Amino acid sequence: MSYAPPHIPGPHIPGIVLISGATGDFGSAFARRFAALGSRLILAGRTPEKLKALADSLDVPTHTLAFDVRDRKAMEAAIASIPAEFAAIDLLINNAGLALGMEPAQKANLDDWEIMVDTNDKALAIMTGLILPGMVERGAGHIINLSSTAGSYPYPGGHVYCASKAFVTQFSLSLRADLLGTGVRVTSVEPGMVETSFSLVRFKGDAEKAAKVYADTTPLTAEDVAESVTWAATLPPHFNVNRLEIMPTVQAPAGLAVHRFKKA
C-alpha cells in the first residue's frame, strides 16, 4: 500500500495590508516585507511626505493615509476615504505606539501618560473597531497588535507604558474570544529589547541616554520583528498564533525586586 503524505497548506499571503505607524522603524520594515510578498498596502502615518517616500520605494500598489491616530475624527475620515480597490483589508497591523519618559510614577509627566494611553490603547482600539466589521462580514482577516514584553514584565519607570501594553495583550485575547467562529484571526506580538528610535523618542531626543539602553548588547532589530509578524500573518488560515513573545538572547525576564532596610 502506498503512503499518501498529509496535505500541508501553502503560505497565506494577505492581499491588502493596513499598517499604522507605517513610517517608523517597525512600520517600514513591515511594509517592505509584505511588499516583497506582493501584498497591496495601506500605509497610515502622520507625515504625508514620509508616507509618500515610503510608498514610492515599494513596487506594489500602495495607498497612504495621513492623520494623527489620537484624532478619532481624522482617523474615521481617513478610513472612510479608502478607495474600493483597497477596502477589503486582509491584515491590520496596529503598530503605532510609543513610550515617553522613565521617571518614577510620582515624578512622571501627566501629559506623557495621556499621550501613551491615547496612542497605545485608545487609537488601537478605535482602529480595530473601524476595520473589524468588514473582516467579520467577509468571514476572514487577521489583526496583529504590537504589544511588548513590558506588558508581562513591568519594570521601574515603566508604569503607564507597561500598563498600556498589558491592555494591548488582553484586548487581543479578548478579541479572540469574541471572534471565535468568524474566521478572523488575532495575534499579540510582544517584543523585548529592539534597537530602533524607540528609546530616542522615550528620552525625548537624548541620544546619550538612548544609546545606553543598547550598549554592550546584541538587541533584536526591526527586521527581526518583521520576520515574526510575517510568519504569523502567512500561516494557513486555520492556524492562529495567540501570543508571540520574542527577546534577544542577551535578555531574559528579571527577578522580583526586594527593598532591604539598612540596619542601625
Side-chain angles (χ1 to χ4, degrees), residues 25-26 29-30 146-149 161 189-200 210 213-214 217-226 228 246-248 250-251:
D25 297 299
F26 281 7
F30 301 156
L146 265 293
S147 184
S148 169
T149 56
Y161 176 70
V189 175
E190 302 163 18
M193 181 188 289
V194 187
E195 187 168 8
T196 63
S197 59
F198 173 86
S199 291
L200 193 64
V213 174
Y214 312 107
T217 70
T218 306
L220 297 177
T221 66
E223 287 69 28
D224 293 328
V225 179
S228 301
I246 57 175
M247 286 183 177
V250 299
Q251 186 182 33

Short mmCIF file of all heavy atoms in Angstrom, two decimals, residues 25-26 29-30 146-149 161 189-200 210 213-214 217-226 228 246-248 250-251:
data_model
loop_
_atom_site.label_atom_id
_atom_site.label_comp_id
_atom_site.label_asym_id
_atom_site.label_seq_id
_atom_site.Cartn_x
_atom_site.Cartn_y
_atom_site.Cartn_z
N ASP A 25 10.31 52.70 12.41
CA ASP A 25 11.24 51.58 12.15
C ASP A 25 10.50 50.27 11.92
O ASP A 25 10.77 49.56 10.95
CB ASP A 25 12.21 51.44 13.32
CG ASP A 25 13.09 52.66 13.49
OD1 ASP A 25 13.85 52.98 12.56
OD2 ASP A 25 13.01 53.30 14.55
N PHE A 26 9.57 49.93 12.82
CA PHE A 26 8.80 48.70 12.64
C PHE A 26 7.92 48.79 11.40
O PHE A 26 7.88 47.88 10.57
CB PHE A 26 7.90 48.45 13.86
CG PHE A 26 8.58 47.87 15.06
CD1 PHE A 26 9.96 47.71 15.11
CD2 PHE A 26 7.84 47.49 16.16
CE1 PHE A 26 10.58 47.18 16.23
CE2 PHE A 26 8.44 46.96 17.29
CZ PHE A 26 9.81 46.81 17.33
N ALA A 29 9.66 48.42 8.12
CA ALA A 29 10.13 47.05 7.94
C ALA A 29 8.98 46.12 7.57
O ALA A 29 9.12 45.25 6.70
CB ALA A 29 10.81 46.56 9.23
N PHE A 30 7.82 46.31 8.19
CA PHE A 30 6.65 45.52 7.82
C PHE A 30 6.25 45.78 6.37
O PHE A 30 5.94 44.85 5.61
CB PHE A 30 5.46 45.85 8.73
CG PHE A 30 5.68 45.62 10.20
CD1 PHE A 30 4.93 46.32 11.13
CD2 PHE A 30 6.63 44.72 10.66
CE1 PHE A 30 5.12 46.12 12.49
CE2 PHE A 30 6.83 44.52 12.02
CZ PHE A 30 6.08 45.22 12.93
N LEU A 146 0.75 45.17 18.03
CA LEU A 146 2.11 45.24 18.57
C LEU A 146 2.04 45.57 20.06
O LEU A 146 1.79 46.71 20.44
CB LEU A 146 2.94 46.27 17.82
CG LEU A 146 3.79 45.72 16.67
CD1 LEU A 146 4.91 44.81 17.20
CD2 LEU A 146 2.95 44.94 15.67
N SER A 147 2.25 44.57 20.88
CA SER A 147 2.32 44.74 22.31
C SER A 147 3.80 44.77 22.70
O SER A 147 4.63 45.26 21.93
CB SER A 147 1.57 43.61 23.02
OG SER A 147 1.56 43.82 24.41
N SER A 148 4.15 44.25 23.85
CA SER A 148 5.53 44.29 24.33
C SER A 148 5.68 43.34 25.50
O SER A 148 4.71 43.04 26.20
CB SER A 148 5.89 45.71 24.78
OG SER A 148 7.11 45.75 25.49
N THR A 149 6.92 42.89 25.72
CA THR A 149 7.19 42.13 26.95
C THR A 149 6.93 42.99 28.18
O THR A 149 6.70 42.47 29.27
CB THR A 149 8.63 41.62 26.97
OG1 THR A 149 9.54 42.73 26.82
CG2 THR A 149 8.90 40.61 25.86
N TYR A 161 3.46 52.98 30.49
CA TYR A 161 3.82 52.26 29.27
C TYR A 161 3.57 50.77 29.44
O TYR A 161 2.96 50.13 28.58
CB TYR A 161 5.29 52.50 28.89
CG TYR A 161 5.70 51.68 27.69
CD1 TYR A 161 5.20 51.98 26.43
CD2 TYR A 161 6.53 50.57 27.82
CE1 TYR A 161 5.53 51.22 25.32
CE2 TYR A 161 6.87 49.80 26.72
CZ TYR A 161 6.37 50.13 25.47
OH TYR A 161 6.69 49.36 24.38
N VAL A 189 1.79 40.43 19.25
CA VAL A 189 3.24 40.26 19.09
C VAL A 189 3.92 41.09 20.17
O VAL A 189 3.67 42.30 20.28
CB VAL A 189 3.70 40.68 17.69
CG1 VAL A 189 5.23 40.61 17.58
CG2 VAL A 189 3.07 39.77 16.64
N GLU A 190 4.79 40.46 20.95
CA GLU A 190 5.32 41.07 22.17
C GLU A 190 6.84 41.05 22.18
O GLU A 190 7.47 40.17 22.77
CB GLU A 190 4.73 40.34 23.37
CG GLU A 190 3.20 40.36 23.38
CD GLU A 190 2.56 39.32 24.29
OE1 GLU A 190 3.26 38.79 25.18
OE2 GLU A 190 1.36 39.02 24.09
N PRO A 191 7.48 42.04 21.53
CA PRO A 191 8.94 42.07 21.50
C PRO A 191 9.54 42.59 22.81
O PRO A 191 8.93 43.41 23.51
CB PRO A 191 9.26 43.04 20.35
CG PRO A 191 7.96 43.30 19.67
CD PRO A 191 6.90 43.07 20.69
N GLY A 192 10.75 42.14 23.09
CA GLY A 192 11.55 42.70 24.16
C GLY A 192 12.43 43.81 23.62
O GLY A 192 11.99 44.67 22.86
N MET A 193 13.72 43.77 23.94
CA MET A 193 14.64 44.82 23.53
C MET A 193 14.88 44.79 22.03
O MET A 193 15.34 43.80 21.48
CB MET A 193 15.98 44.66 24.27
CG MET A 193 17.01 45.73 23.92
SD MET A 193 18.62 45.37 24.64
CE MET A 193 18.27 45.67 26.37
N VAL A 194 14.56 45.90 21.37
CA VAL A 194 14.77 46.05 19.93
C VAL A 194 15.44 47.41 19.71
O VAL A 194 14.94 48.43 20.20
CB VAL A 194 13.47 46.00 19.13
CG1 VAL A 194 13.76 45.99 17.63
CG2 VAL A 194 12.62 44.78 19.51
N GLU A 195 16.54 47.43 18.99
CA GLU A 195 17.24 48.70 18.77
C GLU A 195 16.60 49.44 17.60
O GLU A 195 16.79 49.08 16.44
CB GLU A 195 18.72 48.48 18.51
CG GLU A 195 19.49 49.80 18.45
CD GLU A 195 20.98 49.63 18.48
OE1 GLU A 195 21.47 48.49 18.39
OE2 GLU A 195 21.68 50.67 18.61
N THR A 196 15.84 50.47 17.93
CA THR A 196 15.19 51.35 16.96
C THR A 196 15.26 52.76 17.54
O THR A 196 16.00 53.03 18.49
CB THR A 196 13.72 50.95 16.76
OG1 THR A 196 13.02 51.11 18.00
CG2 THR A 196 13.59 49.50 16.29
N SER A 197 14.45 53.65 17.03
CA SER A 197 14.37 55.00 17.59
C SER A 197 13.47 55.05 18.84
O SER A 197 13.23 56.13 19.39
CB SER A 197 13.83 55.98 16.54
OG SER A 197 12.55 55.56 16.09
N PHE A 198 13.00 53.90 19.30
CA PHE A 198 12.10 53.81 20.46
C PHE A 198 12.66 54.56 21.67
O PHE A 198 11.98 55.39 22.27
CB PHE A 198 11.87 52.33 20.82
CG PHE A 198 11.09 52.09 22.08
CD1 PHE A 198 9.71 52.07 22.06
CD2 PHE A 198 11.74 51.88 23.29
CE1 PHE A 198 8.98 51.83 23.23
CE2 PHE A 198 11.03 51.65 24.46
CZ PHE A 198 9.65 51.63 24.43
N SER A 199 13.90 54.27 22.04
CA SER A 199 14.48 54.91 23.23
C SER A 199 14.77 56.39 23.00
O SER A 199 14.68 57.20 23.93
CB SER A 199 15.75 54.18 23.66
OG SER A 199 15.44 52.90 24.15
N LEU A 200 15.11 56.75 21.77
CA LEU A 200 15.34 58.16 21.46
C LEU A 200 14.05 58.95 21.65
O LEU A 200 14.06 60.08 22.17
CB LEU A 200 15.85 58.30 20.03
CG LEU A 200 16.42 59.66 19.63
CD1 LEU A 200 17.66 60.00 20.45
CD2 LEU A 200 16.75 59.69 18.14
N ALA A 210 19.62 57.20 25.18
CA ALA A 210 19.10 56.15 24.32
C ALA A 210 20.17 55.12 24.00
O ALA A 210 19.91 53.91 23.99
CB ALA A 210 18.55 56.77 23.03
N VAL A 213 20.85 52.27 26.53
CA VAL A 213 19.89 51.15 26.61
C VAL A 213 20.43 49.92 25.88
O VAL A 213 20.24 48.79 26.32
CB VAL A 213 18.53 51.57 26.00
CG1 VAL A 213 17.57 50.39 25.94
CG2 VAL A 213 17.91 52.72 26.81
N TYR A 214 21.14 50.16 24.76
CA TYR A 214 21.59 49.06 23.91
C TYR A 214 23.09 48.79 24.02
O TYR A 214 23.60 47.91 23.33
CB TYR A 214 21.23 49.37 22.45
CG TYR A 214 19.80 49.82 22.28
CD1 TYR A 214 19.51 51.16 22.00
CD2 TYR A 214 18.74 48.94 22.43
CE1 TYR A 214 18.20 51.59 21.85
CE2 TYR A 214 17.43 49.36 22.29
CZ TYR A 214 17.17 50.70 22.00
OH TYR A 214 15.87 51.11 21.87
N THR A 217 25.27 45.13 24.06
CA THR A 217 24.29 44.06 23.87
C THR A 217 24.16 43.77 22.38
O THR A 217 24.68 44.50 21.53
CB THR A 217 22.90 44.46 24.40
OG1 THR A 217 22.34 45.46 23.55
CG2 THR A 217 22.96 44.97 25.82
N THR A 218 23.45 42.70 22.08
CA THR A 218 23.03 42.42 20.70
C THR A 218 21.51 42.35 20.71
O THR A 218 20.93 41.27 20.87
CB THR A 218 23.63 41.10 20.19
OG1 THR A 218 25.05 41.13 20.35
CG2 THR A 218 23.30 40.89 18.71
N PRO A 219 20.85 43.50 20.57
CA PRO A 219 19.39 43.51 20.64
C PRO A 219 18.77 43.00 19.35
O PRO A 219 19.46 42.79 18.34
CB PRO A 219 19.07 44.99 20.84
CG PRO A 219 20.20 45.71 20.18
CD PRO A 219 21.41 44.83 20.35
N LEU A 220 17.46 42.79 19.37
CA LEU A 220 16.74 42.49 18.15
C LEU A 220 16.72 43.74 17.26
O LEU A 220 17.03 44.84 17.70
CB LEU A 220 15.30 42.08 18.47
CG LEU A 220 15.09 40.80 19.28
CD1 LEU A 220 13.61 40.60 19.57
CD2 LEU A 220 15.66 39.60 18.56
N THR A 221 16.34 43.54 16.00
CA THR A 221 16.21 44.64 15.06
C THR A 221 14.76 44.71 14.59
O THR A 221 13.97 43.78 14.79
CB THR A 221 17.11 44.41 13.83
OG1 THR A 221 16.64 43.26 13.11
CG2 THR A 221 18.57 44.19 14.26
N ALA A 222 14.44 45.81 13.92
CA ALA A 222 13.10 45.94 13.34
C ALA A 222 12.82 44.82 12.35
O ALA A 222 11.70 44.32 12.24
CB ALA A 222 12.95 47.31 12.67
N GLU A 223 13.86 44.41 11.63
CA GLU A 223 13.70 43.32 10.65
C GLU A 223 13.39 42.00 11.36
O GLU A 223 12.63 41.17 10.83
CB GLU A 223 14.95 43.18 9.80
CG GLU A 223 15.14 44.29 8.78
CD GLU A 223 15.47 45.65 9.40
OE1 GLU A 223 16.06 45.68 10.51
OE2 GLU A 223 15.13 46.68 8.79
N ASP A 224 13.95 41.79 12.55
CA ASP A 224 13.62 40.58 13.32
C ASP A 224 12.14 40.56 13.69
O ASP A 224 11.47 39.52 13.60
CB ASP A 224 14.46 40.51 14.61
CG ASP A 224 15.94 40.32 14.35
OD1 ASP A 224 16.29 39.65 13.35
OD2 ASP A 224 16.74 40.83 15.15
N VAL A 225 11.64 41.70 14.12
CA VAL A 225 10.22 41.78 14.48
C VAL A 225 9.36 41.59 13.23
O VAL A 225 8.32 40.90 13.28
CB VAL A 225 9.91 43.12 15.17
CG1 VAL A 225 8.42 43.20 15.53
CG2 VAL A 225 10.75 43.27 16.43
N ALA A 226 9.79 42.16 12.11
CA ALA A 226 9.05 41.97 10.86
C ALA A 226 9.02 40.51 10.45
O ALA A 226 8.00 40.02 9.93
CB ALA A 226 9.67 42.82 9.75
N SER A 228 8.94 37.99 12.50
CA SER A 228 7.95 37.35 13.36
C SER A 228 6.52 37.67 12.92
O SER A 228 5.66 36.79 12.88
CB SER A 228 8.16 37.81 14.81
OG SER A 228 9.46 37.50 15.26
N ILE A 246 8.95 37.59 21.96
CA ILE A 246 10.30 37.43 21.44
C ILE A 246 11.26 38.35 22.20
O ILE A 246 10.90 39.47 22.57
CB ILE A 246 10.39 37.71 19.93
CG1 ILE A 246 9.89 39.12 19.61
CG2 ILE A 246 9.58 36.67 19.15
CD1 ILE A 246 10.06 39.51 18.15
N MET A 247 12.47 37.85 22.45
CA MET A 247 13.52 38.62 23.10
C MET A 247 14.85 38.31 22.42
O MET A 247 15.02 37.22 21.85
CB MET A 247 13.65 38.25 24.58
CG MET A 247 12.57 38.74 25.50
SD MET A 247 12.96 38.25 27.21
CE MET A 247 11.61 39.02 28.09
N PRO A 248 15.82 39.23 22.51
CA PRO A 248 17.17 38.86 22.10
C PRO A 248 17.74 37.85 23.10
O PRO A 248 17.30 37.79 24.26
CB PRO A 248 17.93 40.18 22.14
CG PRO A 248 17.19 41.01 23.13
CD PRO A 248 15.75 40.60 23.01
N VAL A 250 20.37 37.97 24.68
CA VAL A 250 21.02 38.63 25.81
C VAL A 250 20.04 39.13 26.86
O VAL A 250 20.45 39.67 27.89
CB VAL A 250 21.87 39.83 25.33
CG1 VAL A 250 22.97 39.38 24.40
CG2 VAL A 250 20.99 40.89 24.66
N GLN A 251 18.74 38.97 26.62
CA GLN A 251 17.73 39.47 27.54
C GLN A 251 16.92 38.32 28.10
O GLN A 251 16.72 37.30 27.44
CB GLN A 251 16.79 40.45 26.82
CG GLN A 251 15.79 41.14 27.72
CD GLN A 251 14.85 42.06 26.94
OE1 GLN A 251 14.51 41.78 25.78
NE2 GLN A 251 14.43 43.15 27.55
#
